[in-house]
Amino acid sequence: MASRAPWAAHFGLARTPFGKAIAAKDLFARQAHAQATARISFCIDQILLGVITGDVGAGKTVAVRAAVAGLDPTRHQVIYVANPAFGTRGLYVQVVRALGAQPRYLKAELMAQAADLLAAETAERHRTVVLISTRRICCSLTSSRNCGS
């Protein structure tokens, strides 16, 4: 069993009050967070490409989590790519696997397979949302040991 953090004992906490397990509805409502969530939701609704940038700890991941939590799971398929450093083929492989298929070997066939699967999702009135985290890439580029989200 892991020991409690010194600050938890100092403040008399039985558990860590913060973490990724906090439900989106319980997040602190700040104007910047609400605006970021609204912009992400707009990109999803309008089928646009969106890029979220900001300093470490600015709330990028939290805003994405809040926007995704607001999606109807019967109409949206969310694919989260945690490490895009594997190149375009790896991205296609992750999309195909997330949509329940066995990826084809040749890249051209794999690209066509991904396009066909995404078109089938759209035909069934499902919207596929692909989230790509560049956290690990940024960490390796800056060679920082303490990378945030």
Side-chain angles (χ1 to χ4, degrees):
M1 184 166 109
S3 63
R4 291 188 332 173
W7 55 266
H10 174 77
F11 290 105
L13 301 172
R15 64 177 181 81
T16 303
F18 306 108
K20 293 184 179 186
I22 298 173
K25 65 178 179 53
D26 296 330
L27 295 169
F28 179 70
R30 295 180 317 144
Q31 183 179 358
H33 169 77
Q35 186 179 56
T37 303
R39 288 177 183 222
I40 295 164
S41 298
F42 177 79
C43 287
I44 294 169
D45 184 55
Q46 298 298 313
I47 312 173
L48 300 172
L49 176 66
V51 178
I52 304 162
T53 63
D55 293 332
V56 172
K60 301 174 297 292
T61 303
V62 172
V64 169
R65 284 183 50 227
V68 168
L71 297 176
D72 179 358
T74 63
R75 294 187 52 228
H76 295 87
Q77 167 75 29
V78 177
I79 300 172
Y80 179 71
V81 180
N83 184 7
F86 45 59
T88 55
R89 186 180 193 292
L91 179 62
Y92 283 111
V93 166
Q94 284 215 338
V95 168
V96 167
R97 283 185 180 150
L99 294 175
Q102 180 65 34
R104 295 187 183 142
Y105 181 74
L106 298 175
K107 186 174 179 182
E109 291 178 1
L110 177 63
M111 292 169 63
Q113 181 185 25
D116 290 345
L117 289 168
L118 290 169
E121 286 287 310
T122 302
E124 293 178 19
R125 298 183 188 246
H126 293 127
R127 183 163 294 162
T128 304
V129 179
V130 180
L131 303 171
I132 302 172
S133 173
T134 60
R135 176 178 162 216
R136 288 190 178 99
I137 290 175
C138 293
C139 290
S140 65
L141 290 176
T142 60
S143 64
S144 171
R145 293 184 181 188
N146 187 16
C147 296
S149 52

